[in-house]
Amino acid sequence: MVNTAWVAKHFKDKIINQPDIKLRKLQDLIRIKYGVYVGKSICSRAKHQVMGQYLGDYKKEFTRIYDYADILRSTNPGSTVVVKISKETIPGKEVFMGIYICLHACKVRWLEGCRNVIGFDGAFLKGVCKGELLSCIGKYGNNQMYPAAWAVVEKETKHTWSWFFRCLMHDLQLTESQGEGLTIISDMQKGLVASVSELLPNVEHRMCARHIWSNWKQNWILSIRHKSIITMLEDIRVKVMERKTTMREFATRWISDVSPMAMRYIEEQSQYVVKHEFKWNGDTGYEIQHGVYKHIIDFSNNTCTCRSWQLKGIPFSHAICAMFFKRFEPDDYVTHWYKKETYLKAFSCYIQPITNMEMWPST
């Protein structure tokens, strides 16, 4: 029997992926696939049922956005949650323009446990309420992503990126230095480049159309961007909370004090040592012949003239060649960013759980 429950069951994925699908279009899909006619009222109830169950009640959630900000601040003290509204878009009314979230556990542990490299990205929201999800993703000791902050804005422009950066600069303590010593990686997001140049003139900005932070969008954002605003933001918070737990447990399985990624890199580079020619001056001078190039190793400063060691923080094959000759352990020359002690700093602060919306106090 074709009823509301039947339509909701068989067309759940279609409704979730296209929450703005017209009722007439849904009727046509049912008729083409199953050869039956279904009235608009049944399609409407089925669509409402699916959206309410899987996507959240978007109208109700917008009315509770201040309550959501308050509950995040109260359960996770030290977190920054900024709700941006406009009183000029519609005279006499407050119009939601954006929300910025940087949880205390993400904020303080980025400062202590993550490298000075962050990526930025924006993703279209596909639900009933359109918009953009802006995100800042760091990198920790195993060279994987570390969500630091995220925001929902009306659209991706220089103005919205500037607002996001100003909030972030305060949280990540970048205001005074204006980004000195920081590297930013992004693609050519609308307004992002201009905002970086204006607010963080001292950063090193690298462009990359397919950077490592695309994993954040593919695995975290695409599956939830059809949902209503609080439901989506809560999915992100829970994923970040659970990821921190997973990463803490992952550290217990390390076989050394150096991250598995760094250990793999050392093993890979060690295979090339046999292709190098080693010369030692009997003191502190080391020459490594690599093809037509000759490189100099300096253990007092952890440098090689090829610059790979300095850039990555892990010994390259040239340095490893000299280390093997001197019976040095390559692990001892890995920068602290890849050590377990620093890695655990990124995950030693916990994101606290919160109750569901029905239990929040109203402001």
Side-chain angles (χ1 to χ4, degrees), residues 41 43 45 49 61 84-85 94 109 112 115 117 119 153 249 267 290 299 303 313 315 331 337 347 358 360:
S41 60
C43 290
R45 289 195 296 270
Q49 178 179 315
E61 291 189 9
K84 183 180 181 183
I85 57 106
E94 290 187 350
R109 293 314 167 193
E112 295 187 16
R115 299 166 60 193
V117 179
V153 296
E249 294 173 350
E267 291 174 4
H290 181 188
F299 286 122
T303 62
D331 300 14
W337 295 114
F347 303 104
E358 287 70 23
W360 302 344

Side-chain angles (χ1 to χ4, degrees), residues 100 204 225 255 264-265 276 323 348:
Y100 166 90
E204 182 176 352
R225 62 179 178 168
I255 60 174
R264 285 195 300 270
Y265 182 81
H276 302 334
M323 290 175 188
S348 61

Side-chain angles (χ1 to χ4, degrees), residues 4 23 27 38-46:
T4 299
L23 297 180
Q27 285 179 296
V38 179
K40 280 189 176 182
S41 60
I42 291 179
C43 290
S44 177
R45 289 195 296 270

Side-chain angles (χ1 to χ4, degrees), residues 29 45 56 89 103 105 113 162 164 177 181 193 205 217 231 255 267 274 290 296 305 312 334 349:
L29 291 174
R45 289 195 296 270
T89 305
L103 297 175
S162 295
F164 184 65
S177 68
V193 177
H205 193 178
K217 181 184 290 186
T231 301
I255 60 174
E267 291 174 4
V274 294
H290 181 188
I296 309 301
T305 52
K312 201 170 187 68
V334 172
C349 193

Side-chain angles (χ1 to χ4, degrees), residues 95-298:
V95 178
F96 174 81
M97 302 299 290
I99 180 170
Y100 166 90
I101 298 173
C102 183
L103 297 175
H104 177 71
C106 299
K107 180 194 311 185
V108 297
R109 293 314 167 193
W110 182 88
L111 292 169
E112 295 187 16
C114 290
R115 299 166 60 193
N116 292 330
V117 179
I118 49 179
F120 291 96
D121 206 353
F124 288 110
L125 301 182
K126 297 290 189 178
V128 175
C129 300
K130 308 300 182 186
E132 288 273 345
L133 179 69
L134 309 183
S135 53
C136 170
I137 311 299
K139 291 175 73 176
Y140 58 85
N142 202 47
N143 211 36
Q144 293 172 298
M145 65 178 188
Y146 184 93
W150 48 92
V152 173
V153 296
E154 182 183 16
K155 60 179 66 174
E156 192 174 359
T157 64
K158 180 179 181 292
H159 178 73
T160 55
W161 273 115
S162 295
W163 174 69
F164 184 65
F165 281 135
R166 287 189 180 95
C167 294
L168 190 71
M169 288 166 65
H170 174 266
D171 286 328
L172 302 189
Q173 300 178 10
L174 302 174
T175 303
E176 187 174 332
S177 68
Q178 295 187 318
E180 184 70 37
L182 179 71
T183 298
I184 286 177
I185 299 178
S186 72
D187 56 13
M188 299 293 289
Q189 302 292 138
K190 294 179 181 178
L192 186 150
V193 177
S195 297
V196 170
S197 299
E198 179 182 317
L199 298 173
L200 295 168
N202 297 330
V203 303
E204 182 176 352
H205 193 178
R206 297 298 180 93
M207 305 295 178
C208 183
R210 187 181 177 84
H211 53 78
I212 189 172
W213 289 273
S214 63
N215 182 52
W216 158 264
K217 181 184 290 186
Q218 293 296 325
N219 295 338
W220 289 49
I221 302 305
L222 296 185
S223 62
I224 63 173
R225 62 179 178 168
H226 301 94
K227 299 183 178 182
S228 51
I229 185 165
I230 292 179
T231 301
M232 178 187 69
L233 292 173
E234 269 299 274
D235 277 359
I236 294 174
R237 183 193 62 82
V238 170
K239 283 187 176 183
V240 175
M241 180 177 70
E242 291 179 334
R243 181 175 178 81
K244 280 180 168 285
T245 300
T246 301
M247 293 301 98
R248 280 190 290 269
E249 294 173 350
F250 171 62
T252 64
R253 300 193 296 271
W254 289 19
I255 60 174
S256 75
D257 288 332
V258 177
S259 74
M261 183 283 299
M263 291 296 295
R264 285 195 300 270
Y265 182 81
I266 290 173
E267 291 174 4
E268 292 169 359
Q269 292 301 314
S270 297
Q271 299 174 13
Y272 299 107
V273 168
V274 294
K275 299 181 180 180
H276 302 334
E277 185 178 342
F278 175 85
K279 294 289 188 296
W280 178 42
N281 72 346
D283 186 20
T284 60
Y286 304 91
E287 295 180 3
I288 307 296
Q289 188 77 36
H290 181 188
V292 298
Y293 300 101
K294 184 184 293 184
H295 295 288
I296 309 301
I297 307 299
D298 180 359

